[in-house]
Amino acid sequence: LTSACPVTGQPDFYEVAITIETDGTAIETKTLKLYLETYRNQQTFCEDLCVKICEDLFDACQPQKCTVVLQQRRRGGIEITATHDIARAERG
């Protein structure tokens, strides 16, 4: 997954892990890949991107639980890992 740093405009590269505990509705991997590619030129911070992806996936398939982990590649000596999860019980 690639996005752009909102401060410098430089590309940020991520490893993304998605866990969806579903009871029927899923997302096709090709569709997921195309969705993730939409962030290529968007300027966003790692933490905000993690929340946005998790919320979008949760809204799309209404699973029991959705967890997204983004690990940003080291840049300037700093590596960031952001995690966000949503459970159906929390959303009511």
Side-chain angles (χ1 to χ4, degrees):
L1 172 62
T2 306
S3 69
C5 173
V7 176
T8 65
Q10 294 179 346
D12 286 326
F13 300 96
Y14 302 92
E15 294 275 334
V16 61
I18 299 168
T19 304
I20 297 176
E21 296 175 18
T22 184
D23 53 3
T25 304
I27 296 174
E28 179 189 31
T29 54
K30 178 74 171 184
T31 302
L32 179 60
K33 178 183 167 184
L34 293 172
Y35 164 75
L36 293 174
E37 285 181 1
T38 65
Y39 290 102
R40 182 174 302 239
N41 296 318
Q42 290 189 30
Q43 295 186 342
T44 184
F45 290 109
C46 177
E47 299 85 354
D48 295 333
L49 181 57
C50 186
V51 171
K52 175 72 170 139
I53 291 171
C54 191
E55 289 180 351
D56 285 351
L57 293 176
F58 186 88
D59 291 343
C61 61
Q62 295 295 307
Q64 293 295 323
K65 185 176 180 182
C66 179
T67 303
V68 174
V69 179
L70 279 185
Q71 185 174 12
Q72 185 180 36
R73 279 198 201 154
R74 186 177 309 267
R75 187 159 61 93
I78 298 173
E79 186 177 291
I80 297 172
T81 300
T83 303
H84 189 72
D85 60 59
I86 303 170
R88 187 179 294 176
E90 297 169 5
R91 289 273 177 114

